[in-house]
Amino acid sequence: MSATTEARRTAQQYDPLGAMGSRPLAIGLGAASIVWALLVSVFDRDVVGSPTLSALTVILVAASAAVVFTASSPFRAPFPRWAFVAHVGLLGLASVTSVAAQWGPDRSALNDFMSLITATGIVMVAPYRPWTDLTIGGALLAVVNAVTWGVGAATFPHEIPVAVAAFLAAAPTLVLTAASAVFAWTFAGLAERVQIRAGSYSVERAERDGIAASVQQDRSTILARDVAPFFAELRTREVITDADRERARLIADGIRRAMVADADRTWFEQAVRVEGGEAPVVDDPDGLTAMLDADQRSVVRTFLRAAFRASTVDPAGFRATVRRADGQDDAATRGDPARADPARTDTARDARVLLELDLAVADSDIGIHRTFDPYFAVLRVTFPDLDVAVRPSALALRFSYDQH
């Protein structure tokens, strides 16, 4: 993976469950910022200033916290850039209104709470944005703080030089921005190296080994159930009858059908069969699940394993439907090149694939959420257009992916 791609990936994308666990910290920091801004604005100011602008400052801080609270939800993952821009913009505007609200000879730096709130504001979003965004956003907030405090210090001189006042205003944000950026950069680098090591055992090899083991098991079952008893009977007979020949033909046909089914089975069908047995239905006539990449396959396979091992899930009520998102069948993939339209061959290759999973779950909607919410969080990061429909005794998932 290139350095550019790595810079764009976040801790949330590498570790969705870890980011989900750190969300209470972001919510707590946001709530503490609102309470602190409110208390200081009301009870601890040297300058009476403008109550309207003070109230506006608190509202802006609350709005930035609300943006983080909403966008950091694992069911809206990944954290979008527009939310980060809005968060930084609201905090920057709050810094300006905070100074304007108390315009005058402010003698106590403790009253100017926005320098620390902007600093913790960057920490709040550290798991959700790449280090480049954190660095740029934090630097912009530090500049806003330095300029606003510097202008105030120049207009109302005090014992502290203007340059020192500007530096003190920017320092907390610069320090915590550097810490957040180092965290995001280090986490991305470590996660990338782990993925590279894990990738040394390729998905293709793992699937080949798994399918080969399944094929061997199926054939061993046929040999033990049908072939061995038949040969044991023949050994006791002096004459082979037409009935014996017919039975031998049926056994051979069964072995041939099993071999064809094994050859045509995709990794997805293999995963469903291993975890759910023969009851689940997989409707993937074109083998489109083979087009999922390594990360996507791992996430889908993990969800399947969790679903089929849940005591409330009935494998007989599982159905997977895989189709091209444009509703067109690939005739060439189906083995009928004559039906394929050459004019739309490239378009078909570039189309997205829609995967729908329907499960019968003997549980309430609250119980279903309690069981599967962590998996929904991971799926949401991997498939941003994931749509989850939870109803009593039923769960439906719908998402799409590019053909790789």
Side-chain angles (χ1 to χ4, degrees), residues 60-61 63-65 67 85-95 114:
L60 290 172
V61 172
S64 72
V67 168
V85 172
H87 174 60
V88 171
L90 289 168
L91 289 181
L93 187 56
S95 293
M114 281 308 303

Side-chain angles (χ1 to χ4, degrees), residues 211-225 258 262 265 270 273 278:
I211 292 176
S214 176
V215 170
Q216 182 178 6
Q217 181 180 1
D218 291 346
R219 293 177 185 175
S220 298
T221 300
I222 294 174
L223 289 173
R225 184 190 62 198
D262 290 331
R265 188 181 302 152
Q270 172 66 19
R273 181 174 178 181
E278 299 291 344

